[in-house]
Amino acid sequence: MELKKLLQDLPVKAQGALEGINIDDLCSDSSQVTRGALFAAMRGREKNGEDFAFEAQERGAAAVLSERVIAEIKTPQIITGDVRSAYARVCAKFYGEPSKKLKTVGVTGTNGKSTTAYLIHRIACGCGIRCGLIGTMYIHDGERRSPAQMTTPDPKELNQTLARFVEAGCAAVAAEVSAHALYWRKTDGIVFDLGVFTNLSRDHLDFFGSMEEYARAKGGFFTPEHVRRAVINSDDEFGVRLINSVKVPLISYGLDNPADAFAVNIENGGHGRYIVNDRDRLLEINSRLYGKFNVSNALAAIVCARELGADYADIARVLSETPPPEGRFELIERDGVKFIVDFAHTPDGLENVLLQARKLTEGRLIAVFGCGGDRDRGKRPLMGAIASEYADEVLITSDNPRGEKREDIARDIIAGTDGRARVLLDRREALQEACNAARAGDTVVIAGKGSEKYIEEKGVKTYFDDVEVLKEILAKK
């Protein structure tokens, strides 16, 4: 594509002649630059892309996008005050602005993003609206799925995926939008038709430093630059702040506070039976998803499905047929014991899962979990305290130690417990011990990884699937 067309309407200045330059590819990693590519020299927290501009030039970059003139290179340069935002917008143009050819739903929040996006995708497809899915669990074009590398892909992959959805015949897409993606401007150039806010609780403070900065990143999504209409959880404290401050039309949903869409007659134990009132339209829901938190997720999905054009009767029917997403309160029963595998990796997420698990438990509740390394250390003792409060037995194990020692992470978690917790640093051994200890009537919660299929340690990812390992252990009992 002609470079001048890619840069049209963007706040940039040219350093060198741009006439006749065609761009064949886009890249923000100098090692991946090919001849004819536009290289985006992004500033990161540890590295500055400008330091790799000469390498990009040597590999055949046709032009460089940067925040300043880089004197060391002769390649034509485009100067802008925000390389990340400009690059995201260029990516959208390069792939034909595919988001404009789809009904787009962006879901953000600490917990519930994956489940809510999954439900929107499943309900829409089941109602005859082919809807793609982009998120933590996988990417799905309405017929086929492929692995996801991160919650929200980088701008090139994101727009490339959206273009593929359009080509496949999708009419809509539900995408998880992480706080990191918003901070790094990954979705700039896309105005989502609907922006969903699920909740805000402690997470990623290793990156954002404070809850206010974390909240600022999430809240920045709900502006006319990013969304046309907001769908916001009125039960969340920060959600209420958004409801009172956003400058876009909004629909609120909630279970405890007044909202445009709400649920009543929720069956005790959260077995998925309830009545939804969505702006004075009533639906009787019989869902296969457990828990009050999943009633909230379903409410958001129902609102979005209606906005996408789904029929109410079809929404209720499809939701009743929809299985829980992989690794999100995934329930396996064997010999009277319930095993629940869940992605919960925050204090709020762990508390929600344990509270719901307790409602399903006749005997003891056993919790198996760990915390990720090189991440917010402050949440570790909080999660230890929550596990001690709600579980009868606590097994602390590993969960992506990354660059830290497993025993150091476990020590941080133990600091918040009441002293009853045991440590088994090998995750397989911890799952084996939980299976050995469980008796009929007990429930075992295995938290932290959900559908994630690896353990990352010292730069190496080793295949590990909680559900797969659990089933292997149970098969040998």
Side-chain angles (χ1 to χ4, degrees):
M1 180 178 288
E2 189 178 342
L3 179 56
K4 278 198 167 185
K5 288 185 178 179
L6 283 176
L7 301 177
Q8 195 172 353
D9 301 325
L10 293 181
V12 299
K13 292 182 180 180
Q15 180 72 16
L18 304 185
E19 296 294 339
I21 296 179
N22 285 309
I23 299 300
D24 299 322
D25 195 8
L26 306 169
C27 197
S28 59
D29 181 343
S30 60
S31 68
Q32 301 299 315
V33 168
T34 55
R35 187 161 299 280
L38 172 66
F39 172 63
M42 297 177 178
R43 287 181 180 270
R45 292 198 166 188
E46 296 180 359
K47 295 181 179 180
N48 183 354
E50 294 174 2
D51 297 335
F52 301 89
F54 184 79
E55 179 186 356
Q57 174 181 268
E58 293 301 290
R59 297 179 72 90
V64 173
L65 182 66
S66 62
E67 292 181 4
R68 67 174 182 87
V69 176
I70 304 171
E72 297 80 8
I73 64 173
K74 297 178 181 179
T75 300
Q77 297 176 56
I78 303 105
I79 311 304
T80 179
D82 190 335
V83 172
R84 290 182 178 275
S85 180
Y87 180 62
R89 295 171 191 277
V90 165
C91 289
K93 288 189 177 184
F94 187 81
Y95 288 101
E97 298 189 285
S99 67
K100 293 183 177 180
K101 302 167 188 174
L102 298 161
K103 288 288 186 181
T104 49
V105 184
V107 184
T108 196
T110 304
N111 299 310
K113 293 191 299 297
S114 294
T115 299
T116 301
Y118 163 84
L119 289 175
I120 294 167
H121 158 72
R122 288 295 296 251
I123 293 170
C125 287
C127 292
I129 303 166
R130 186 164 174 176
C131 180
L133 174 66
I134 299 174
T136 306
M137 295 187 293
Y138 47 78
I139 292 171
H140 204 299
D141 70 1
E143 288 187 358
R144 294 170 297 275
R145 58 185 271 182
S146 56
Q149 300 303 316
M150 57 184 68
T151 300
T152 309
D154 286 329
K156 178 184 174 180
E157 184 186 347
L158 176 59
N159 283 280
Q160 197 174 35
T161 301
L162 293 175
R164 192 171 74 245
F165 285 178
V166 171
E167 187 177 349
C170 287
V173 60
E176 293 183 53
V177 181
S178 68
H180 290 80
L182 293 167
Y183 179 89
W184 293 124
R185 317 288 287 185
K186 288 184 180 183
T187 62
D188 279 21
I190 299 172
V191 182
F192 289 87
D193 293 295
L194 296 170
V196 181
F197 174 77
T198 60
N199 51 62
L200 184 80
S201 63
R202 180 172 182 143
D203 202 10
H204 304 305
L205 295 197
D206 55 295
F207 184 89
F208 290 101
S210 70
M211 283 299 295
E212 275 305 309
E213 287 302 313
Y214 179 43
R216 196 188 318 279
K218 294 286 190 188
F221 185 50
F222 296 92
T223 66
E225 179 187 10
H226 296 292
V227 302
R228 293 187 175 88
R229 195 168 198 182
V231 179
I232 299 176
N233 183 1
S234 66
D235 293 331
D236 183 84
E237 182 180 349
F238 187 68
V240 173
R241 284 170 55 184
L242 287 176
I243 289 170
N244 292 328
S245 63
V246 296
K247 304 300 183 186
V248 296
L250 70 90
I251 304 165
S252 60
Y253 69 94
L255 304 178
D256 301 318
N257 292 332
D260 298 314
F262 57 92
V264 296
N265 296 344
I266 301 172
E267 188 172 298
N268 185 38
H271 287 270
R273 295 180 183 272
Y274 47 92
I275 304 294
V276 167
N277 183 323
D278 179 11
R279 292 159 286 180
D280 297 327
R281 290 290 302 273
L282 300 180
L283 292 86
E284 186 172 341
I285 301 298
N286 183 11
S287 170
R288 294 167 61 183
L289 278 68
Y290 283 92
K292 188 176 179 181
F293 53 90
N294 273 326
V295 178
S296 182
N297 294 332
L299 267 176
I302 289 167
V303 168
C304 291
R306 180 181 175 185
E307 293 299 306
L308 292 177
D311 179 79
Y312 263 121
D314 287 338
I315 290 173
R317 172 185 58 79
V318 174
L319 191 54
S320 71
E321 299 167 352
T322 299
E326 296 172 11
R328 268 64 179 177
F329 212 86
E330 187 170 350
L331 179 63
I332 299 167
E333 296 191 58
R334 184 69 56 87
D335 298 329
V337 180
K338 294 181 176 70
F339 297 89
I340 296 168
V341 178
D342 195 88
F343 187 58
H345 61 286
T346 67
D348 186 59
L350 184 62
E351 182 175 23
N352 284 337
V353 169
L354 292 177
L355 279 170
Q356 179 56 34
R358 176 60 74 185
K359 293 178 182 178
L360 306 177
T361 304
E362 297 174 1
R364 297 174 305 148
L365 179 58
I366 302 169
V368 184
F369 77 102
C371 290
D374 302 331
R375 299 294 187 267
D376 177 17
R377 291 184 61 182
K379 72 178 182 182
R380 296 172 187 173
L382 299 178
M383 292 177 69
I386 287 166
S388 287
E389 180 176 356
Y390 296 112
D392 299 300
E393 186 172 343
V394 178
L395 292 175
I396 297 169
T397 188
S398 61
D399 180 351
N400 294 338
R402 299 185 179 91
E404 290 192 66
K405 293 181 179 179
R406 298 182 180 193
E407 54 267 32
D408 292 343
I409 298 171
R411 192 178 300 113
D412 288 341
I413 300 171
I414 290 171
T417 67
D418 58 9
R420 293 182 296 112
R422 291 188 292 149
V423 176
L424 284 172
L425 295 178
D426 184 286
R427 195 170 179 93
R428 182 181 289 270
E429 288 183 11
L431 267 60
Q432 178 74 65
E433 176 60 23
C435 290
N436 292 342
R439 299 290 180 265
D442 293 349
T443 298
V444 178
V445 170
I446 303 166
K449 302 194 73 62
S451 60
E452 191 176 79
K453 300 186 188 304
Y454 61 84
I455 291 177
E456 183 179 355
E457 188 169 19
K458 297 179 181 178
V460 177
K461 287 186 176 181
T462 303
Y463 183 81
F464 193 96
D465 182 332
D466 275 349
V467 172
E468 189 177 300
V469 171
L470 175 62
K471 288 181 176 178
E472 287 175 4
I473 293 170
L474 293 176
K476 295 177 181 178
K477 287 194 71 176

